[in-house]
Amino acid sequence: MANGQWFPQDWPERIRALADGTLTPVVPKRAATVMLLKDTAAGPVVHMLRRRASMAFAGGAYAYPGGGVDPRDDDHQIRWAGPPRAWWAKRLGVDEAEAQAIVCAAVRETYEEAGVLLAGPTPETVVGDTTGADWEADREALVARDLSFAEFLERRGLVLRSDLLGAWTRWITPEFESRRYDTWFFVAALPAGQRTRNASTEADRTVWIRPADAALSYDKGELLMMPPTIATLRQLTEHDSAAAALTAAPARDLTPVLARARLDADEIVLSWPGHDEFTKHIPTGGATA
């Protein structure tokens, strides 16, 4: 039975073009995504959304809240709780300004797409309620990029709670893709008093699901996912609580995972280092196996 691995139809053609030098790789954009967890009697569950089938990138696939970094958040000084920017810079493998912008993107996208805000009026608190017309107006301004996240925090008098995030892994979209992202994956626990909702215009469904159940549905071909999504779900199954996942995060390797494609006789071999389950053998005629 085929699994739910998302595989664009134009990949074989683009891989061949990259191999023969007629395709110039697109520079990846910085991005962040958050695996939001909460504990239940049956174990931790993760918040996932299904991208609308009409989306040009990964339409119909299940993913986590996430999106691109806003460069306006690089150097705007904001109120910050948790490990200092220098610590995050070392952890993420970037400079301090980039580290701030990446962490801001993770917190902003969780708010934009799930209605959950990892920020509070003090370094020890989080906001308890983000509903209401005034909050929604600010959220929509963030989505439209009329307002930067740093400006939003400043306007609201909020402290960004970087201590509520754990950097989990880093994946870079393959060089042959037309849309490329350098994405840092984070893990976080749903703050007490807050609730998720489908606030994203890019998603037609959201679910709370046990990582093991989501992985099983992928294996059955019932849920469509990109390699980073199913890979991180399998990693989350090792932890029996949201706190355990957060505790494990600082020790995780953030070496970027980047797919490789090579010509081998009459086929193209597509592989992700360290993730053998995603290897694809593509005959030069274009069919996949």
Side-chain angles (χ1 to χ4, degrees):
M1 180 183 296
N3 61 27
Q5 184 175 344
W6 179 72
F7 189 87
Q9 295 302 307
D10 64 347
W11 270 14
E13 179 182 348
R14 295 185 65 85
I15 291 170
R16 285 190 286 270
L18 181 65
D20 64 25
T22 59
L23 175 67
T24 301
V26 175
V27 176
K29 297 179 180 180
R30 298 174 301 169
T33 190
V34 176
M35 301 178 289
L36 189 63
L37 300 170
K38 71 176 180 179
D39 292 322
T40 71
V45 290
V46 63
H47 181 73
M48 303 189 75
L49 53 84
R50 183 175 65 188
R51 295 174 59 83
R52 293 185 183 277
S54 59
M55 297 296 294
F57 182 79
Y62 279 78
Y64 313 113
V69 168
D70 186 342
R72 294 176 297 177
D73 293 331
D74 278 50
D75 54 9
H76 191 123
Q77 290 299 306
I78 62 176
R79 296 173 67 197
W80 184 279
R85 292 167 181 81
W87 183 93
W88 279 107
K90 183 177 180 180
R91 178 73 181 120
L92 302 179
V94 297
D95 62 33
E96 290 189 32
E98 283 187 290
Q100 173 175 295
I102 293 164
V103 172
C104 278
V107 178
R108 186 198 71 235
E109 288 290 334
T110 306
Y111 179 51
E112 285 184 8
E113 298 194 343
V116 170
L117 184 57
L118 304 177
T122 71
E124 297 81 26
T125 60
V126 292
V127 296
D129 185 5
T130 61
T131 60
D134 58 335
W135 283 101
E136 184 60 17
D138 277 354
R139 194 194 66 80
E140 291 179 353
L142 287 168
V143 173
R145 297 297 182 262
D146 294 333
L147 181 70
S148 75
F149 193 65
E151 292 167 340
F152 163 77
L153 292 173
E154 188 174 81
R155 174 189 296 182
R156 289 274 179 179
L158 296 175
V159 181
L160 184 146
R161 293 290 306 275
S162 81
D163 55 318
L164 300 182
L165 287 169
W168 192 263
T169 190
R170 179 182 177 185
W171 287 63
I172 301 177
T173 309
E175 292 181 330
F176 46 81
E177 255 289 6
S178 56
R179 292 177 175 83
R180 300 190 65 213
Y181 301 94
D182 184 353
T183 305
W184 284 263
F185 285 69
F186 294 85
V187 65
L190 178 69
Q194 294 195 32
R195 294 186 299 174
T196 57
R197 61 190 178 93
N198 183 8
S200 173
T201 58
E202 299 179 354
D204 60 12
R205 184 186 184 216
T206 62
V207 295
W208 282 102
I209 188 170
R210 293 175 62 243
D213 292 340
L216 180 59
S217 293
Y218 167 90
D219 290 336
K220 292 179 177 180
E222 297 170 351
L223 296 186
L224 186 67
M225 299 179 201
M226 293 175 283
T229 309
I230 180 59
T232 48
L233 281 171
R234 297 201 197 284
Q235 293 158 0
L236 288 174
T237 62
E238 302 173 6
H239 304 286
D240 60 6
S241 69
L246 278 163
T247 298
R252 290 190 52 81
D253 183 10
L254 292 189
T255 301
V257 179
L258 174 63
R260 301 294 184 186
R262 73 176 191 275
L263 292 172
D264 187 4
D266 58 350
E267 67 178 8
I268 298 168
V269 180
L270 175 60
S271 62
W272 280 259
H275 299 272
D276 293 343
E277 73 166 294
F278 306 128
T279 299
K280 288 281 187 180
H281 296 267
I282 307 168
T284 54
T288 63

